[in-house]
Amino acid sequence: MSPLVPPPDGVPLELARIVDSRGRPCPTPIIDLARAAAGAPPGAELRLLADDPAAPGDVAAWCRMRGHTLLETQERTANRPWFVLRVRMSGTTRQ
């Protein structure tokens, strides 16, 4: 399971979590995100760090299926492209 990294100072842990899935192949980033989401309250923000090229599309689809909001997708590069995906948890969970 990927580690949950605390958010920057001043942001309550229950409202922002960073899920670091870099170096983990598909579908592991989505599995990591889903596990973190299971314990997240409505309105919480999760940030997924992933270098799997399928992650942006997978996260967008997962958000649509689960009723969450994809707030932002950033592509970063440092020897290899990777992504920061910001997701806001809804108050409902779709099965």
Side-chain angles (χ1 to χ4, degrees):
M1 184 170 171
S2 107
L4 289 176
V5 179
D9 288 339
V11 178
L13 182 60
E14 65 274 6
L15 296 181
R17 286 185 173 169
I18 298 174
V19 181
D20 191 347
S21 292
R22 289 174 290 184
R24 300 172 61 106
C26 183
T28 311
I30 292 298
I31 293 168
D32 292 343
L33 183 60
R35 285 182 178 150
E45 182 179 303
L46 300 178
R47 293 183 187 202
L48 175 67
L49 309 180
D51 53 9
D52 172 15
D58 290 348
V59 170
W62 180 81
C63 286
R64 281 191 305 275
M65 290 187 317
R66 299 289 183 223
H68 304 309
T69 303
L70 178 59
L71 298 171
E72 180 181 20
T73 300
Q74 297 176 14
E75 184 171 353
R76 307 270 176 97
T77 56
N79 299 330
R80 179 176 172 185
W82 60 284
F83 306 93
V84 178
L85 300 116
R86 291 178 52 219
V87 177
R88 169 89 21 92
M89 299 293 100
S90 69
T92 61
T93 303
R94 297 182 188 164
Q95 299 295 331

